Amino acid sequence: MKNIITIVIFCMMTAYAWSQESNFDYKYALKFYNMTTYEYVKLDRLNADQTQYTYKYSIFKVLNPTVAFQWNSKNNHLQEIELTDLNWDKETIINQELYDTNGFVQSLYNVDKRTSSISLRYEYQLNFNKNHRLVPGLGFGINPYYFSEKFVPQIDNLYKTTSTVFGADMLITPRITYFVNSRIYLDMNIPFSLINLKYSSRFVDNPLLPNSQKTQATVDFEELQKKYYLRIGIGIKF
């Protein structure tokens, strides 16, 4: 009987110790997210034929897998870096017009369009109520990003145009973490963009313009932009 009581007490102490310490007893973790995004966009752009236009649209992306690396710091607060976007794409846009019944066709618009982008997120996470499986937290992060769009015309009446954007979002992220077991945990968080700082430039390779007028650059500062996220992930400790 004494042995049974001793075993029960030992098991209870072990369970209590696990709940007190083992949630954050790891040094590194690999996380796999799905990031759902809604964004309202308003852009002033140039066509390859140098006509300027403004267009508005919204983006609602349901599935966007990302990967993140997390490490433990002092007081069991966490740091995390995530690759949120990596893209390189090339397409050819051709607009042709039939001029006569003999089949004479002229290409009015023949352009290679090349786009590339990369986006990262760094976050420092404060965790509360650490002695339980369900742990609320608050993250403070920065999301630097780069985007490039290049139009390379294949006909003489158009000019090469390059648009480039460098920017950074300042984020605050309420989050909730559930520790499934000693190796696996689930994470749901909702990042909010507090401040967005963006540098944009457009280069038009028009030989009729002086070099000082070939490039136009702007700096934009926006607070609480219309960009919303929902990130759900699974973490693996190691």
Side-chain angles (χ1 to χ4, degrees):
M1 188 65 178
K2 291 183 178 179
N3 291 335
I4 295 177
I5 295 175
T6 302
I7 293 173
V8 171
I9 294 174
F10 176 78
C11 291
M12 292 177 63
M13 292 178 62
T14 302
Y16 178 79
W18 187 91
S19 66
Q20 292 291 314
E21 299 177 0
S22 65
N23 285 343
F24 294 91
D25 63 352
Y26 64 97
K27 190 172 182 180
Y28 304 109
L30 190 64
K31 300 179 73 175
F32 301 94
Y33 282 113
N34 179 67
M35 185 171 65
T36 300
T37 307
Y38 174 81
E39 181 180 5
Y40 175 79
V41 181
K42 178 182 177 182
L43 293 174
D44 296 321
R45 309 297 287 273
L46 289 175
N47 279 315
D49 59 2
Q50 305 315 305
T51 58
Q52 187 168 356
Y53 64 101
T54 299
Y55 64 96
K56 306 173 184 178
Y57 63 93
S58 61
I59 301 173
F60 182 52
K61 186 181 292 186
V62 177
L63 296 176
N64 181 26
T66 68
V67 62
F69 179 76
Q70 185 182 80
W71 64 98
N72 207 328
S73 59
K74 295 181 179 180
N75 299 321
N76 288 327
H77 297 311
L78 304 173
Q79 298 183 68
E80 184 172 301
I81 187 167
E82 177 188 13
L83 179 63
T84 58
D85 179 52
L86 181 63
N87 179 63
W88 188 90
D89 185 50
K90 178 180 178 181
E91 62 178 315
T92 300
I93 305 171
I94 300 176
N95 181 12
Q96 295 180 330
E97 184 171 330
L98 183 66
Y99 272 79
D100 55 35
T101 57
N102 296 322
F104 176 73
V105 176
Q106 179 175 347
S107 179
L108 301 179
Y109 193 91
N110 187 343
V111 175
D112 288 335
K113 179 184 175 183
R114 305 171 186 173
T115 58
S116 59
S117 61
I118 186 170
S119 176
L120 300 170
R121 176 185 61 89
Y122 168 79
E123 187 173 300
Y124 185 83
Q125 302 168 9
L126 303 178
N127 296 290
F128 313 101
N129 197 27
K130 302 174 188 176
N131 299 333
H132 296 78
R133 286 179 179 267
L134 196 63
V135 179
L138 188 63
F140 302 90
I142 183 171
N143 172 210
Y145 58 87
Y146 165 82
F147 173 81
S148 176
E149 184 177 63
K150 182 180 294 186
F151 292 93
V152 183
Q154 304 301 315
I155 53 180
D156 294 336
N157 61 333
L158 300 178
Y159 305 124
K160 178 180 176 182
T161 302
T162 303
S163 299
T164 305
V165 177
F166 294 93
D169 270 329
M170 307 301 174
L171 304 170
I172 185 169
T173 308
R175 59 196 316 124
I176 191 80
T177 303
Y178 178 73
F179 291 88
V180 178
N181 55 43
S182 60
R183 290 291 305 278
I184 305 296
Y185 62 95
L186 304 177
D187 179 12
M188 184 179 74
N189 57 82
I190 305 175
F192 292 94
S193 175
L194 298 179
I195 299 172
N196 177 257
L197 182 63
K198 180 172 63 177
Y199 171 84
S200 306
S201 68
R202 296 187 183 92
F203 171 77
V204 181
D205 193 14
N206 184 349
L208 301 179
L209 295 177
N211 290 334
S212 60
Q213 297 181 18
K214 289 183 179 181
T215 300
Q216 297 179 343
T218 58
V219 177
D220 297 314
F221 180 87
E222 186 176 3
E223 300 177 353
L224 300 174
Q225 61 176 339
K226 297 179 179 179
K227 192 171 186 178
Y228 310 100
Y229 306 92
L230 173 62
R231 185 185 287 111
I232 298 175
I234 181 171
I236 303 172
K237 303 176 186 179
F238 62 93

